[in-house]
PDB file of all heavy atoms in Angstrom:
ATOM      1  N   LEU A 198      -2.952  -3.766   0.555  1.00  0.00           N
ATOM      2  CA  LEU A 198      -3.541  -2.775   1.440  1.00  0.00           C
ATOM      3  C   LEU A 198      -4.002  -3.357   2.753  1.00  0.00           C
ATOM      4  O   LEU A 198      -4.534  -4.465   2.811  1.00  0.00           O
ATOM      5  CB  LEU A 198      -4.678  -1.999   0.762  1.00  0.00           C
ATOM      6  CG  LEU A 198      -6.060  -2.584   0.663  1.00  0.00           C
ATOM      7  CD1 LEU A 198      -7.084  -1.462   0.575  1.00  0.00           C
ATOM      8  CD2 LEU A 198      -6.153  -3.432  -0.562  1.00  0.00           C
ATOM      9  N   VAL A 199      -3.736  -2.567   3.793  1.00  0.00           N
ATOM     10  CA  VAL A 199      -4.253  -2.886   5.116  1.00  0.00           C
ATOM     11  C   VAL A 199      -5.601  -2.207   5.202  1.00  0.00           C
ATOM     12  O   VAL A 199      -5.716  -1.003   4.973  1.00  0.00           O
ATOM     13  CB  VAL A 199      -3.326  -2.326   6.214  1.00  0.00           C
ATOM     14  CG1 VAL A 199      -3.945  -2.565   7.592  1.00  0.00           C
ATOM     15  CG2 VAL A 199      -1.943  -2.954   6.123  1.00  0.00           C
ATOM     16  N   THR A 200      -6.639  -3.001   5.493  1.00  0.00           N
ATOM     17  CA  THR A 200      -7.971  -2.419   5.603  1.00  0.00           C
ATOM     18  C   THR A 200      -8.838  -3.318   6.485  1.00  0.00           C
ATOM     19  O   THR A 200      -8.572  -4.518   6.624  1.00  0.00           O
ATOM     20  CB  THR A 200      -8.639  -2.265   4.221  1.00  0.00           C
ATOM     21  OG1 THR A 200      -9.930  -1.689   4.386  1.00  0.00           O
ATOM     22  CG2 THR A 200      -8.795  -3.592   3.493  1.00  0.00           C
ATOM     23  N   HIS A 201      -9.829  -2.722   7.111  1.00  0.00           N
ATOM     24  CA  HIS A 201     -10.799  -3.528   7.848  1.00  0.00           C
ATOM     25  C   HIS A 201     -12.033  -3.750   6.982  1.00  0.00           C
ATOM     26  O   HIS A 201     -13.011  -4.334   7.435  1.00  0.00           O
ATOM     27  CB  HIS A 201     -11.194  -2.823   9.144  1.00  0.00           C
ATOM     28  CG  HIS A 201     -10.021  -2.584  10.032  1.00  0.00           C
ATOM     29  ND1 HIS A 201      -9.297  -3.624  10.580  1.00  0.00           N
ATOM     30  CD2 HIS A 201      -9.405  -1.455  10.445  1.00  0.00           C
ATOM     31  CE1 HIS A 201      -8.302  -3.129  11.288  1.00  0.00           C
ATOM     32  NE2 HIS A 201      -8.336  -1.814  11.218  1.00  0.00           N
ATOM     33  N   ASP A 202     -11.992  -3.267   5.748  1.00  0.00           N
ATOM     34  CA  ASP A 202     -13.149  -3.336   4.868  1.00  0.00           C
ATOM     35  C   ASP A 202     -13.244  -4.723   4.225  1.00  0.00           C
ATOM     36  O   ASP A 202     -12.712  -4.968   3.142  1.00  0.00           O
ATOM     37  CB  ASP A 202     -13.015  -2.244   3.795  1.00  0.00           C
ATOM     38  CG  ASP A 202     -14.307  -2.063   3.019  1.00  0.00           C
ATOM     39  OD1 ASP A 202     -15.060  -3.040   2.870  1.00  0.00           O
ATOM     40  OD2 ASP A 202     -14.560  -0.933   2.564  1.00  0.00           O
ATOM     41  N   MET A 203     -13.914  -5.625   4.928  1.00  0.00           N
ATOM     42  CA  MET A 203     -13.982  -7.002   4.432  1.00  0.00           C
ATOM     43  C   MET A 203     -14.897  -7.113   3.216  1.00  0.00           C
ATOM     44  O   MET A 203     -14.763  -8.050   2.428  1.00  0.00           O
ATOM     45  CB  MET A 203     -14.439  -7.955   5.542  1.00  0.00           C
ATOM     46  CG  MET A 203     -13.479  -8.033   6.711  1.00  0.00           C
ATOM     47  SD  MET A 203     -11.779  -8.429   6.207  1.00  0.00           S
ATOM     48  CE  MET A 203     -11.884 -10.179   5.912  1.00  0.00           C
ATOM     49  N   ALA A 204     -15.821  -6.159   3.067  1.00  0.00           N
ATOM     50  CA  ALA A 204     -16.675  -6.184   1.874  1.00  0.00           C
ATOM     51  C   ALA A 204     -15.800  -5.958   0.641  1.00  0.00           C
ATOM     52  O   ALA A 204     -15.950  -6.632  -0.385  1.00  0.00           O
ATOM     53  CB  ALA A 204     -17.754  -5.107   1.979  1.00  0.00           C
ATOM     54  N   PHE A 205     -14.865  -5.013   0.746  1.00  0.00           N
ATOM     55  CA  PHE A 205     -13.934  -4.791  -0.360  1.00  0.00           C
ATOM     56  C   PHE A 205     -13.056  -6.022  -0.570  1.00  0.00           C
ATOM     57  O   PHE A 205     -12.836  -6.450  -1.707  1.00  0.00           O
ATOM     58  CB  PHE A 205     -13.057  -3.565  -0.079  1.00  0.00           C
ATOM     59  CG  PHE A 205     -11.986  -3.352  -1.120  1.00  0.00           C
ATOM     60  CD1 PHE A 205     -12.308  -2.802  -2.351  1.00  0.00           C
ATOM     61  CD2 PHE A 205     -10.669  -3.726  -0.882  1.00  0.00           C
ATOM     62  CE1 PHE A 205     -11.334  -2.619  -3.331  1.00  0.00           C
ATOM     63  CE2 PHE A 205      -9.689  -3.552  -1.849  1.00  0.00           C
ATOM     64  CZ  PHE A 205     -10.024  -2.995  -3.074  1.00  0.00           C
ATOM     65  N   ALA A 206     -12.587  -6.603   0.539  1.00  0.00           N
ATOM     66  CA  ALA A 206     -11.730  -7.798   0.432  1.00  0.00           C
ATOM     67  C   ALA A 206     -12.465  -8.901  -0.335  1.00  0.00           C
ATOM     68  O   ALA A 206     -11.899  -9.539  -1.223  1.00  0.00           O
ATOM     69  CB  ALA A 206     -11.326  -8.283   1.820  1.00  0.00           C
ATOM     70  N   ALA A 207     -13.760  -9.079   0.000  1.00  0.00           N
ATOM     71  CA  ALA A 207     -14.533 -10.150  -0.642  1.00  0.00           C
ATOM     72  C   ALA A 207     -14.720  -9.883  -2.124  1.00  0.00           C
ATOM     73  O   ALA A 207     -14.680 -10.781  -2.956  1.00  0.00           O
ATOM     74  CB  ALA A 207     -15.887 -10.279   0.041  1.00  0.00           C
ATOM     75  N   LYS A 208     -14.896  -8.607  -2.467  1.00  0.00           N
ATOM     76  CA  LYS A 208     -15.233  -8.242  -3.838  1.00  0.00           C
ATOM     77  C   LYS A 208     -13.991  -8.099  -4.719  1.00  0.00           C
ATOM     78  O   LYS A 208     -14.003  -8.498  -5.878  1.00  0.00           O
ATOM     79  CB  LYS A 208     -15.988  -6.906  -3.805  1.00  0.00           C
ATOM     80  CG  LYS A 208     -16.800  -6.611  -5.034  1.00  0.00           C
ATOM     81  CD  LYS A 208     -17.662  -5.389  -4.808  1.00  0.00           C
ATOM     82  CE  LYS A 208     -16.767  -4.176  -4.656  1.00  0.00           C
ATOM     83  NZ  LYS A 208     -17.366  -2.938  -4.331  1.00  0.00           N
ATOM     84  N   ALA A 209     -12.942  -7.530  -4.175  1.00  0.00           N
ATOM     85  CA  ALA A 209     -11.844  -7.087  -5.042  1.00  0.00           C
ATOM     86  C   ALA A 209     -10.492  -7.746  -4.787  1.00  0.00           C
ATOM     87  O   ALA A 209      -9.596  -7.625  -5.614  1.00  0.00           O
ATOM     88  CB  ALA A 209     -11.689  -5.569  -4.916  1.00  0.00           C
ATOM     89  N   ALA A 210     -10.341  -8.435  -3.661  1.00  0.00           N
ATOM     90  CA  ALA A 210      -9.005  -8.971  -3.365  1.00  0.00           C
ATOM     91  C   ALA A 210      -8.737 -10.252  -4.141  1.00  0.00           C
ATOM     92  O   ALA A 210      -9.642 -11.022  -4.452  1.00  0.00           O
ATOM     93  CB  ALA A 210      -8.871  -9.239  -1.871  1.00  0.00           C
ATOM     94  N   ASP A 211      -7.468 -10.448  -4.483  1.00  0.00           N
ATOM     95  CA  ASP A 211      -7.035 -11.710  -5.066  1.00  0.00           C
ATOM     96  C   ASP A 211      -6.475 -12.613  -3.970  1.00  0.00           C
ATOM     97  O   ASP A 211      -6.379 -13.828  -4.126  1.00  0.00           O
ATOM     98  CB  ASP A 211      -5.928 -11.451  -6.105  1.00  0.00           C
ATOM     99  CG  ASP A 211      -6.448 -10.582  -7.232  1.00  0.00           C
ATOM    100  OD1 ASP A 211      -7.284 -11.074  -8.012  1.00  0.00           O
ATOM    101  OD2 ASP A 211      -6.047  -9.401  -7.315  1.00  0.00           O
ATOM    102  N   ARG A 212      -6.101 -11.968  -2.861  1.00  0.00           N
ATOM    103  CA  ARG A 212      -5.423 -12.694  -1.792  1.00  0.00           C
ATOM    104  C   ARG A 212      -5.728 -12.007  -0.469  1.00  0.00           C
ATOM    105  O   ARG A 212      -5.825 -10.774  -0.415  1.00  0.00           O
ATOM    106  CB  ARG A 212      -3.926 -12.613  -2.076  1.00  0.00           C
ATOM    107  CG  ARG A 212      -3.098 -13.595  -1.389  1.00  0.00           C
ATOM    108  CD  ARG A 212      -2.303 -14.502  -2.379  1.00  0.00           C
ATOM    109  NE  ARG A 212      -2.140 -15.793  -1.742  1.00  0.00           N
ATOM    110  CZ  ARG A 212      -2.738 -16.903  -2.168  1.00  0.00           C
ATOM    111  NH1 ARG A 212      -3.478 -16.880  -3.241  1.00  0.00           N
ATOM    112  NH2 ARG A 212      -2.554 -18.030  -1.519  1.00  0.00           N
ATOM    113  N   VAL A 213      -5.884 -12.771   0.558  1.00  0.00           N
ATOM    114  CA  VAL A 213      -6.112 -12.209   1.895  1.00  0.00           C
ATOM    115  C   VAL A 213      -5.044 -12.768   2.836  1.00  0.00           C
ATOM    116  O   VAL A 213      -4.829 -13.978   2.891  1.00  0.00           O
ATOM    117  CB  VAL A 213      -7.519 -12.580   2.428  1.00  0.00           C
ATOM    118  CG1 VAL A 213      -7.691 -12.093   3.862  1.00  0.00           C
ATOM    119  CG2 VAL A 213      -8.605 -11.975   1.542  1.00  0.00           C
ATOM    120  N   LEU A 214      -4.350 -11.869   3.528  1.00  0.00           N
ATOM    121  CA  LEU A 214      -3.380 -12.285   4.550  1.00  0.00           C
ATOM    122  C   LEU A 214      -3.927 -11.891   5.905  1.00  0.00           C
ATOM    123  O   LEU A 214      -4.301 -10.737   6.106  1.00  0.00           O
ATOM    124  CB  LEU A 214      -2.030 -11.578   4.371  1.00  0.00           C
ATOM    125  CG  LEU A 214      -1.245 -11.742   3.082  1.00  0.00           C
ATOM    126  CD1 LEU A 214       0.085 -10.990   3.189  1.00  0.00           C
ATOM    127  CD2 LEU A 214      -0.966 -13.216   2.808  1.00  0.00           C
ATOM    128  N   LEU A 215      -3.995 -12.830   6.827  1.00  0.00           N
ATOM    129  CA  LEU A 215      -4.364 -12.489   8.202  1.00  0.00           C
ATOM    130  C   LEU A 215      -3.114 -12.507   9.057  1.00  0.00           C
ATOM    131  O   LEU A 215      -2.405 -13.508   9.125  1.00  0.00           O
ATOM    132  CB  LEU A 215      -5.369 -13.490   8.763  1.00  0.00           C
ATOM    133  CG  LEU A 215      -5.598 -13.343  10.282  1.00  0.00           C
ATOM    134  CD1 LEU A 215      -6.417 -12.108  10.598  1.00  0.00           C
ATOM    135  CD2 LEU A 215      -6.260 -14.581  10.860  1.00  0.00           C
ATOM    136  N   PHE A 216      -2.861 -11.380   9.673  1.00  0.00           N
ATOM    137  CA  PHE A 216      -1.728 -11.248  10.577  1.00  0.00           C
ATOM    138  C   PHE A 216      -2.192 -11.509  11.993  1.00  0.00           C
ATOM    139  O   PHE A 216      -3.209 -10.992  12.432  1.00  0.00           O
ATOM    140  CB  PHE A 216      -1.196  -9.813  10.499  1.00  0.00           C
ATOM    141  CG  PHE A 216       0.152  -9.767   9.909  1.00  0.00           C
ATOM    142  CD1 PHE A 216       0.307  -9.873   8.552  1.00  0.00           C
ATOM    143  CD2 PHE A 216       1.272  -9.659  10.720  1.00  0.00           C
ATOM    144  CE1 PHE A 216       1.564  -9.866   7.996  1.00  0.00           C
ATOM    145  CE2 PHE A 216       2.528  -9.649  10.169  1.00  0.00           C
ATOM    146  CZ  PHE A 216       2.686  -9.749   8.810  1.00  0.00           C
ATOM    147  N   SER A 217      -1.413 -12.297  12.722  1.00  0.00           N
ATOM    148  CA  SER A 217      -1.754 -12.555  14.109  1.00  0.00           C
ATOM    149  C   SER A 217      -0.459 -12.612  14.908  1.00  0.00           C
ATOM    150  O   SER A 217       0.397 -13.455  14.635  1.00  0.00           O
ATOM    151  CB  SER A 217      -2.508 -13.880  14.185  1.00  0.00           C
ATOM    152  OG  SER A 217      -2.905 -14.127  15.484  1.00  0.00           O
ATOM    153  N   ASN A 218      -0.288 -11.680  15.834  1.00  0.00           N
ATOM    154  CA  ASN A 218       0.931 -11.644  16.652  1.00  0.00           C
ATOM    155  C   ASN A 218       2.217 -11.740  15.841  1.00  0.00           C
ATOM    156  O   ASN A 218       3.108 -12.516  16.158  1.00  0.00           O
ATOM    157  CB  ASN A 218       0.920 -12.786  17.670  1.00  0.00           C
ATOM    158  CG  ASN A 218      -0.091 -12.541  18.749  1.00  0.00           C
ATOM    159  OD1 ASN A 218      -0.296 -11.381  19.135  1.00  0.00           O
ATOM    160  ND2 ASN A 218      -0.742 -13.579  19.204  1.00  0.00           N
ATOM    161  N   GLY A 219       2.308 -10.975  14.788  1.00  0.00           N
ATOM    162  CA  GLY A 219       3.549 -10.919  14.028  1.00  0.00           C
ATOM    163  C   GLY A 219       3.764 -12.071  13.062  1.00  0.00           C
ATOM    164  O   GLY A 219       4.815 -12.157  12.434  1.00  0.00           O
ATOM    165  N   SER A 220       2.779 -12.947  12.951  1.00  0.00           N
ATOM    166  CA  SER A 220       2.914 -14.046  11.994  1.00  0.00           C
ATOM    167  C   SER A 220       1.727 -14.048  11.042  1.00  0.00           C
ATOM    168  O   SER A 220       0.655 -13.543  11.384  1.00  0.00           O
ATOM    169  CB  SER A 220       2.919 -15.400  12.711  1.00  0.00           C
ATOM    170  OG  SER A 220       4.028 -15.487  13.540  1.00  0.00           O
ATOM    171  N   ILE A 221       1.921 -14.663   9.886  1.00  0.00           N
ATOM    172  CA  ILE A 221       0.812 -14.793   8.945  1.00  0.00           C
ATOM    173  C   ILE A 221       0.058 -16.065   9.284  1.00  0.00           C
ATOM    174  O   ILE A 221       0.584 -17.163   9.146  1.00  0.00           O
ATOM    175  CB  ILE A 221       1.327 -14.789   7.501  1.00  0.00           C
ATOM    176  CG1 ILE A 221       1.935 -13.408   7.205  1.00  0.00           C
ATOM    177  CG2 ILE A 221       0.203 -15.107   6.523  1.00  0.00           C
ATOM    178  CD1 ILE A 221       2.567 -13.284   5.862  1.00  0.00           C
ATOM    179  N   ALA A 222      -1.175 -15.882   9.771  1.00  0.00           N
ATOM    180  CA  ALA A 222      -1.966 -17.031  10.203  1.00  0.00           C
ATOM    181  C   ALA A 222      -2.777 -17.604   9.044  1.00  0.00           C
ATOM    182  O   ALA A 222      -3.073 -18.792   9.024  1.00  0.00           O
ATOM    183  CB  ALA A 222      -2.879 -16.638  11.357  1.00  0.00           C
TER     184      ALA A 222
END
Side-chain angles (χ1 to χ4, degrees):
L198 81 154
V199 175
T200 180
H201 300 296
D202 192 330
M203 297 306 283
F205 175 77
K208 200 171 66 185
D211 299 291
R212 198 120 211 112
V213 175
L214 300 183
L215 169 73
F216 247 78
S217 183
N218 289 325
S220 296
I221 294 176

